[in-house]
Each structure stands twice: as C-alpha cells, then as structure tokens.
Amino acid sequence: MATTIGVVVFPGTNCEHDAVAAVEQLGASARLVFHAEDKLGDLDGLILPGGFAHGDYLRPGAIARFSPIMDAVSAFAAQGGPVVGICNGFQVLCEAHLLPGALQKNRGLTFLCQPSRLKVTSTNSALTNAATLGEELTIPINHFSGSYTCDVDTLRELQNEDRIVLRYVENPNGSLDDIAAISNEQGNVVGLMPHPERAVSALLGSADGVVLMESLLRAASVSRV
Amino acid sequence: MRFIARVEVRLREGIADPEGATIERALPALGFDGIASVRSGRCFQVELDAADLATAQNHAAALADRLLANPVIEESIIEVTPL
C-alpha cells in the first residue's frame, strides 16, 4: 500500500492542494484532514500546510493550536510519526509547543514573497534525510511573520543537538542564526518557513523542494513499518 | 460579580520589536524631540464574572498565559477592577 500523508486543513489554510499535488507527484497518496476532526485515521506522515489559519488573529497559529485535531497531531508526533509544518504550519507547531521558540514579524516589517537560497545544515530530520549536508536549495518564501526567535538556552540546544536543519544563505527576515527550519529532539517534527511544495518542478521555477518532500515520504514509509 | 480585566501584552525585554523600532525612528522625523525609546504591545479588555476579585485575577492571569500572550516572546501585565 502506498505511503499516505495527511494534510491538515484549518479555516484559512490555503496551501493544502499544493501539498497534496507535491506528494502525489512523488508517487505517494495524500488525504486532507479537517481541523474539526479528532482522529487522524491510518496515516504515515503529516503536513501542516501554509496559509492564514483562523485569519492569523491574535498571533499566527495561536487559535489553530486549540483545534480538535491538534491533540491527535501531538499524539502522532509523540509516537515518532513524521510531521512537517510549512510556513503557517511551522507557526502552528511552535504555538502548540511541538517545536520550541516563536516566529515574529519580519525584520523590516515587509511581507516577503521571493525565492530564498537555503543551506542544508542537518540531514538528521524527517525533512532532510534524503538531502546532502551543505547542499544549497532555492525554495520560495511567502510570509510576514517568519523571523525565528527563541531564548539563548534554546538556541544553544538547537545548535548542539544538530536541530537547525536549514539556514538562509542570505537572511531575509531577521531570523536568529539564519534559521529557516528546525526539528524537535527526535527529528520527526520539523518546521520550515520556505515552501518546498511550491518548488517541485522546473516549470515552477525550481525543483529543489523535491528532495525535502522525498525526505518526508522516506520518513513516513519507515515509520509505517 | 462582574469585573473588567485589562491585559497588556508586550514583547519581553531583549526580544526584537520591529514595530516599536519603526515608530521610534518615525517620531523624531515628525519633529518630536527627546524620544528615548518605543516598545509596541497590545491591550485586551475582558469582561468576566467571578465570585470575588482574587478569583477574577486568577482567571485573567490564566487566560493571558494560555492564549493572549505567547510566553516564549511576550509578557503580560494584568489589571482587574470591579465593573
């Protein structure tokens, strides 16, 4: 049976179909999971896609974190299931304390929508296990609150435990230590601001997101066994 | 009894505040002299029913901590007064 990825949809999510298309293009299947459900069913991996869950009211991810589905997402993550939060999904994972730190408004207070060059700085995660350490990828960013921040102790932990998985080559938003993506301690939960699902074909300007999506599928097929 | 909780949420000391910094730069440009610093924040006014002031204060502190502020980057100052 094909690996199946669940794509969680909150009111205001808008990248779910891009995520489904990217997963299907790579030969796996995908299923949308609505925020009001309280069970995930039989899934091998999860994507929390981008958008503006609950209008980003209060703070991005602040309301989404209390959605009924989030208990099931936390349980899935605790069992080692791969979970990738993209953009708004990253913000939701931070608010839900599945990842440390927070995403603040961009330095410069501008909405950024542009290609970004990234460096793979750890391959020890559900997002980068198929990538090569030091590899450069060009993947678009599309956010207003993407400046990663955390306290000094957390930053040291992330650095020492090899949990900063992608860094910006040229920091676009003021993120601490050029962080574009981090993982939890086990490496199965990853959040990133760039959109790999929008970079899966040369026709889209870049196919560099493929290696990241493939990493997720690989982690999902392993967790299935 | 009904109370009003005024919850001011602001960024913790040391957390970058791009909005505050932008306003700080704008004020002298508008001719306001002597601006030492600006920090941005937001204020919520919550009306709530509780048996007494202490209970209302506890509720206000809990809801500020659970939802209104993100303790990773923000702190809240809470003032509760009877309506």
Side-chain angles (χ1 to χ4, degrees), chain B residues 58-73:
Chain B
N58 286 341
H59 287 176
L63 67 89
D65 196 46
R66 181 110 194 275
L67 180 63
L68 298 184
N70 177 355
V72 175
I73 51 171

Side-chain angles (χ1 to χ4, degrees), chain A residues 58-59 62-63 65-66 95 101-102 104-109 149-150, chain B residues 11 15-19 22 42 44 66-70 72-74:
Chain A
L58 192 58
R59 296 178 303 277
I63 311 288
R65 128 180 214 219
F66 294 107
E95 283 282 343
Q104 274 195 285
K105 290 179 181 125
N106 296 338
R107 173 185 63 197
L109 295 175
T149 189
C150 62
Chain B
L11 290 163
I15 298 288
D17 177 7
E19 278 181 305
T22 303
R42 61 204 302 194
F44 300 90
R66 181 110 194 275
L67 180 63
L68 298 184
N70 177 355
V72 175
I73 51 171
E74 294 169 330

